[in-house]
Amino acid sequence: MRSADEIKKLVENAGIKINPEVKSAALNELINELEKSKQSKPTYRPGIWRIFMQSKIAKLAAAVVIIATVAIGLNRCGMKVDVASPAFANMLEQVKKATSVYYKTTLQVEDDSFPQDEVMINENGVKRLILNKNTVMLFDSRNGINLTLDSKTKRGFRTVVKPRPEMKLFNSLSFLATRHKKGIRFVGNEILDGTETRVYEDLQPLNFSCTTIWVDPETNLPLRVVSETIPPDDPNYFPVKMLILHSKDFGDDSDISRGGDLCGNCTPRYTKEIMTDFQWNIDLDPALFDTEIPEDYEKNEKELSQPDETYLIEALKFWSEMSDGLLPIDVNDLMDPNTIEPMFIKKFKKGQNPYQEYNNAADFIDTFRWGAIFAERKIVSQKNWHASKEPVYFGQAEKPLYWWQIEDSNNYQVIYGDLTIDEVAEDEIP
Amino acid sequence: MEDKWLIYELNSGSKEALCRIYEKYRDDLVRIAAGLLNNVSAAEDVVQEVFLNLVHSADKYKIRTSLKGYLITCVANRARNSNRGKCLQSFVCLDDVTTVAAADKAPDQCIACDEEYQQLYEAIAQLPYEQKEVVILHVQGKMKFREIAKLQSTPIKTTLSRYNYGLNKLRSMFNSEVKNEISR
C-alpha cells in the first residue's frame, strides 16, 4: 500500500511518451509562424519598458509620474543599436564630474508603493533623503555614518557602519555606478517636458535589472531614470525576505515605513524606482549634510560593525517573549517576515502613542535583522549545523538549541536554552 | 531573469529565443496537459496552440509574471475548454461518449511507457476534473494553491479540499488497482 506522499511523488515523477518527430515538426511550425509574424510586424521595436507597462501596478506607478511631470510626447525612432553610442560614455563622464544632484524618487517594492522622497547628494557622495515632513536620513558612506532625524519627536539615531572611503557622488547613483557597456541599448529619442531626450535602456540579466535613462543632449546629464529589478524565476534562488514596519500598522497616519532585508545572500524582490526632477550641479547648503545629531535632539547612537551572535541572542529573546517562552526550533523562522511583523506589532503597539510606538518598534528592527542575517550567514549556510529536535524554552540552560561547526575549526559553537553561547570540542557536542 | 530576456528577444523575432523557450518548457507542458486530458495527442495540440499564441503575442505578455506559470495557466485553460467540449459532445450524443471512452483506452493511446505510470494516469483520468486539475497543477506544475484557486475562481480552502480529496482518491484507486494486478 502506498501512502499519499508516495502517490504524490509518483505523480511528480510520472513521465509520458514524447514523440521526437512530432516535437520537431511542431517546433518547425512555430519557427515558420515566427518568420511570418516578423514580416507582418512593423519594424518599430518597442522598448522593454513598454512590456513592463503591461503590468497594472507599473501602469499605476507610471500614472503618478505622468501627472507629476506633465505628459510625455513620444518620438522614438525605434532604431536598435547593439552598443551604446559614445554619447552614453560622455554622459557618464559628465555625471562623474558633477558636484551635486537633486531628484525625486518613488519606490515600489512588490505591491507596496512608498511615498515620494527627495534626494540630494553632494560631491562627497553624502546622500540626504527627505522621507516626509518629519524624517530626514543622511548616508555618509565614506565615513560609515548613517543618521536619521525625526523632527516630530526630536530624536536622532546615529549608526556607525563600515566606512567605504571610495564613495563619491557617482558611486551613490547605483543606477549608473553598476552599468556595464554590454547591456546598454540606445532606444531612440523622446520628448520629455518639451525637451527632446536620448533614451537608453540597460538590461542586466545577471543583476536582474532593467534601467531606462532619459538624457538631455545639451547637458549630457540624466533627466529621468526608471530602474526595475525583476526576481528570477529559478526556484533555487531565495527570494529576498524584507521586514518592513509601516507606521499605519501602529495606528499612526504619518505613512512612513522602516525595515530591510532579513537575509544577506538573497536575490531581490520586484522593485521599481522612478527618479524624476533631476537638477545637477546646484548649490547645496553644507549644513544639510551635517551628520551630527543637533543639540536639541535626543541622542541615540549605535555601532553596527558586523552581524554577530549578540544580535542573534537579542532576536531569540524577542522571539521567546512573543511565543510564551518557546524558542524557534527552526532558525529559518527568524527570516520569515510574515511571522515576525505581527510579533513586532504585538510587542510594541499599545494603542497610546502610535507614532512613538512605531518608532520604538523601528528602533529594534536593525538589531533583529542583524540577528537573522547572522543566523543565515553563519548557521544556515553551514553544512554542519544542527537544531534541537524537541521544544526548548528560554531559560533551559541544560538544553542546546542550535550548534554549528566553527569555520576553519573542529570545534562547535552551541547556543543553549538560556541563550548562553559556548564553544565545545566535537566529542562534547550535546 | 532569463525568461524575461527570452521574451524580450522573442518579441524582436529571435528564433534562438523561441527554441530555448520551447526546449525549456514544452515537455513539461505536454506532460501536464496529458495528465489533464488523458491523451498525449490532444495534449500536444493544446501545447502547440499555447506556443502559437505566445509567438503571436509575446509583446502582450506580462513580463512581471513567471513565464512557466503563464504557460501552465494557458495550458490549463485550454485543456479545460477542450474537456468542456468533450463533455458537451457527450451531452449531445451518448454514442460518441462510448467512442471517446474506447479511444482513451486504446493501446496506442497509452500515455506513459512505464506500466506503473500508465496505471497512475488511468487512475488520474477517473478523478473529477477539478480535483485532477489541482493535483496535476500543484504536483507537476509546481503551482501554488493560491494561483490554482485564482485559476479555478474558487476560495483557496476549496482548492485545498479538492487537492486532498484528489490525492486520497488517487491513493485508494491506485492501491486497489495494484491489488487487483497482484490477485490476477
Side-chain angles (χ1 to χ4, degrees), chain A residues 2 12 14 17 29 45, chain B residues 12 31 48 111 116 142:
Chain A
R2 289 173 190 257
E12 203 173 348
K17 283 191 214 168
E29 187 197 2
R45 179 190 164 108
Chain B
S12 57
R31 190 167 75 113
Q48 187 69 359
I111 291 180
E116 189 179 43
K142 309 282 179 218

Side-chain angles (χ1 to χ4, degrees), chain A residues 2 8 11-14 16-17 23 26 29 31 33 35 38 45 52 57 203 205 230 232-233, chain B residues 3-5 8 12-13 15 22 27 31 48 52 56 63-64 111 113 116 140 142 163 171 174-175:
Chain A
R2 289 173 190 257
K8 189 183 159 191
V11 176
E12 203 173 348
N13 299 325
I16 56 162
K17 283 191 214 168
K23 187 176 171 182
E29 187 197 2
I31 291 170
E33 280 300 314
E35 290 295 327
K38 250 167 41 179
R45 179 190 164 108
F52 287 128
I57 294 161
L203 271 172
I230 305 154
D233 295 328
Chain B
D3 285 353
K4 320 293 188 221
W5 183 262
Y8 182 57
S12 57
K15 244 191 276 181
Y22 189 79
D27 290 354
R31 190 167 75 113
Q48 187 69 359
L52 279 170
H56 291 138
I63 204 154
R64 262 201 69 197
I111 291 180
C113 307
E116 189 179 43
Q140 290 189 339
K142 309 282 179 218
Y163 175 74
R171 185 182 162 217
F174 188 79
N175 283 335

Side-chain angles (χ1 to χ4, degrees), chain A residues 215-233:
Chain A
V215 178
D216 182 348
E218 269 191 33
T219 61
N220 266 322
L221 287 164
L223 286 179
R224 182 174 193 259
V225 178
V226 176
S227 190
E228 288 190 274
T229 305
I230 305 154
D233 295 328

Side-chain angles (χ1 to χ4, degrees), chain A residues 1-5 7-19 22-27 29-31 33-35 37-38 41 45-48 51-52 54-57 80 108 110-111 185 201 203-206 208-210 228 230-233 270, chain B residues 1 3-5 8-15 18-19 22-23 26-27 30-31 34 40 44 48 51-52 55-56 59-67 107-108 110-113 116-117 120-121 124 135-136 138-140 142 163 167-168 170-171 174-175 179:
Chain A
M1 295 294 277
R2 289 173 190 257
S3 67
D5 265 354
I7 295 290
K8 189 183 159 191
K9 274 198 188 122
L10 203 62
V11 176
E12 203 173 348
N13 299 325
I16 56 162
K17 283 191 214 168
I18 294 282
N19 183 334
V22 172
K23 187 176 171 182
S24 163
L27 179 59
E29 187 197 2
L30 292 173
I31 291 170
E33 280 300 314
L34 183 68
E35 290 295 327
S37 127
K38 250 167 41 179
K41 269 187 188 171
R45 179 190 164 108
I48 196 162
I51 304 170
F52 287 128
Q54 306 291 333
S55 151
K56 199 173 154 189
I57 294 161
K80 181 187 170 186
Q108 178 191 327
E110 291 287 315
D111 292 342
R185 292 159 191 251
E201 276 177 358
L203 271 172
Q204 299 287 342
L206 292 177
F208 316 109
S209 74
C210 174
E228 288 190 274
I230 305 154
D233 295 328
Y270 174 80
Chain B
M1 187 68 183
D3 285 353
K4 320 293 188 221
W5 183 262
Y8 182 57
E9 290 296 312
L10 175 64
N11 188 28
S12 57
S14 162
K15 244 191 276 181
L18 174 63
C19 294
Y22 189 79
E23 281 302 326
R26 194 261 185 189
D27 290 354
V30 172
R31 190 167 75 113
V40 174
E44 283 170 340
Q48 187 69 359
F51 273 110
L52 279 170
V55 165
H56 291 138
D59 56 339
K60 295 191 186 81
Y61 170 67
K62 291 180 184 178
I63 204 154
R64 262 201 69 197
T65 57
S66 122
L67 176 59
D108 62 337
C110 281
I111 291 180
C113 307
E116 189 179 43
Y117 288 146
L120 176 77
Y121 276 114
I124 290 173
V135 171
I136 294 282
H138 180 68
V139 179
Q140 290 189 339
K142 309 282 179 218
Y163 175 74
L167 210 59
N168 281 333
L170 213 52
R171 185 182 162 217
F174 188 79
N175 283 335
K179 232 191 238 173

Side-chain angles (χ1 to χ4, degrees), chain A residues 26-130:
Chain A
L27 179 59
N28 283 338
E29 187 197 2
L30 292 173
I31 291 170
N32 287 338
E33 280 300 314
L34 183 68
E35 290 295 327
K36 274 191 227 163
S37 127
K38 250 167 41 179
Q39 284 159 14
S40 60
K41 269 187 188 171
T43 50
Y44 173 75
R45 179 190 164 108
I48 196 162
W49 68 276
R50 291 185 182 282
I51 304 170
F52 287 128
M53 290 290 283
Q54 306 291 333
S55 151
K56 199 173 154 189
I57 294 161
K59 274 181 190 164
L60 271 173
V64 173
V65 173
I66 288 166
I67 292 162
T69 59
V70 194
I72 294 169
L74 289 174
N75 183 29
R76 289 194 174 187
C77 63
M79 196 193 297
K80 181 187 170 186
V81 180
D82 284 333
V83 289
S85 64
F88 189 85
N90 200 355
M91 183 271 287
L92 290 180
E93 279 310 305
Q94 291 306 312
V95 174
K96 281 179 184 168
K97 283 182 199 164
T99 54
S100 65
V101 62
Y102 167 93
Y103 59 90
K104 288 180 180 171
T105 175
T106 309
L107 183 67
Q108 178 191 327
V109 180
E110 291 287 315
D111 292 342
D112 277 337
S113 282
F114 294 85
Q116 193 175 58
D117 302 332
E118 288 179 72
V119 181
M120 295 171 195
I121 307 174
N122 71 11
E123 60 187 326
N124 295 326
V126 184
K127 190 185 263 190
R128 180 185 168 90
L129 203 63
I130 305 166

Side-chain angles (χ1 to χ4, degrees), chain A residues 186-350:
Chain A
F186 173 61
V187 181
N189 296 321
E190 186 172 309
I191 307 290
L192 181 69
D193 290 342
T195 304
E196 186 167 27
T197 58
R198 288 195 306 270
V199 186
Y200 297 92
E201 276 177 358
D202 180 13
L203 271 172
Q204 299 287 342
L206 292 177
N207 294 334
F208 316 109
S209 74
C210 174
T211 305
T212 310
I213 305 170
W214 286 255
V215 178
D216 182 348
E218 269 191 33
T219 61
N220 266 322
L221 287 164
L223 286 179
R224 182 174 193 259
V225 178
V226 176
S227 190
E228 288 190 274
T229 305
I230 305 154
D233 295 328
D234 190 335
N236 295 321
Y237 284 101
F238 292 102
V240 153
K241 293 169 181 174
M242 290 183 97
L243 176 61
I244 298 174
L245 297 179
H246 301 276
S247 63
K248 63 176 188 286
D249 290 335
F250 290 78
D252 177 75
D253 57 3
S254 308
D255 199 15
I256 50 174
S257 317
R258 202 159 132 193
D261 301 350
L262 276 173
C263 50
N265 299 320
C266 300
T267 53
R269 293 207 300 185
Y270 174 80
T271 56
K272 180 173 185 174
E273 188 176 9
I274 301 170
M275 289 158 266
T276 59
D277 299 73
F278 275 91
Q279 294 176 46
W280 295 89
N281 301 314
I282 52 170
D283 286 335
L284 294 172
D285 183 355
L288 293 172
F289 298 91
D290 184 359
T291 53
E292 293 300 323
I293 300 173
E295 284 302 315
D296 55 337
Y297 275 59
E298 179 194 317
K299 288 186 177 143
N300 296 277
E301 302 201 24
K302 69 177 158 187
E303 198 167 316
L304 288 174
S305 48
Q306 279 293 317
D308 59 29
E309 298 91 332
T310 54
Y311 295 100
L312 176 61
I313 298 302
E314 289 302 314
L316 290 171
K317 266 186 201 163
F318 170 77
W319 178 286
S320 70
E321 196 187 331
M322 293 297 106
S323 313
D324 300 322
L326 187 66
L327 289 158
I329 285 184
D330 187 348
V331 72
N332 285 297
D333 288 345
L334 292 174
M335 289 161 242
D336 178 10
N338 295 329
T339 310
I340 309 297
E341 280 171 21
M343 285 185 172
F344 266 78
I345 295 168
K346 186 179 164 192
K347 160 93 177 166
F348 294 99
K349 188 177 178 182
K350 309 280 180 212

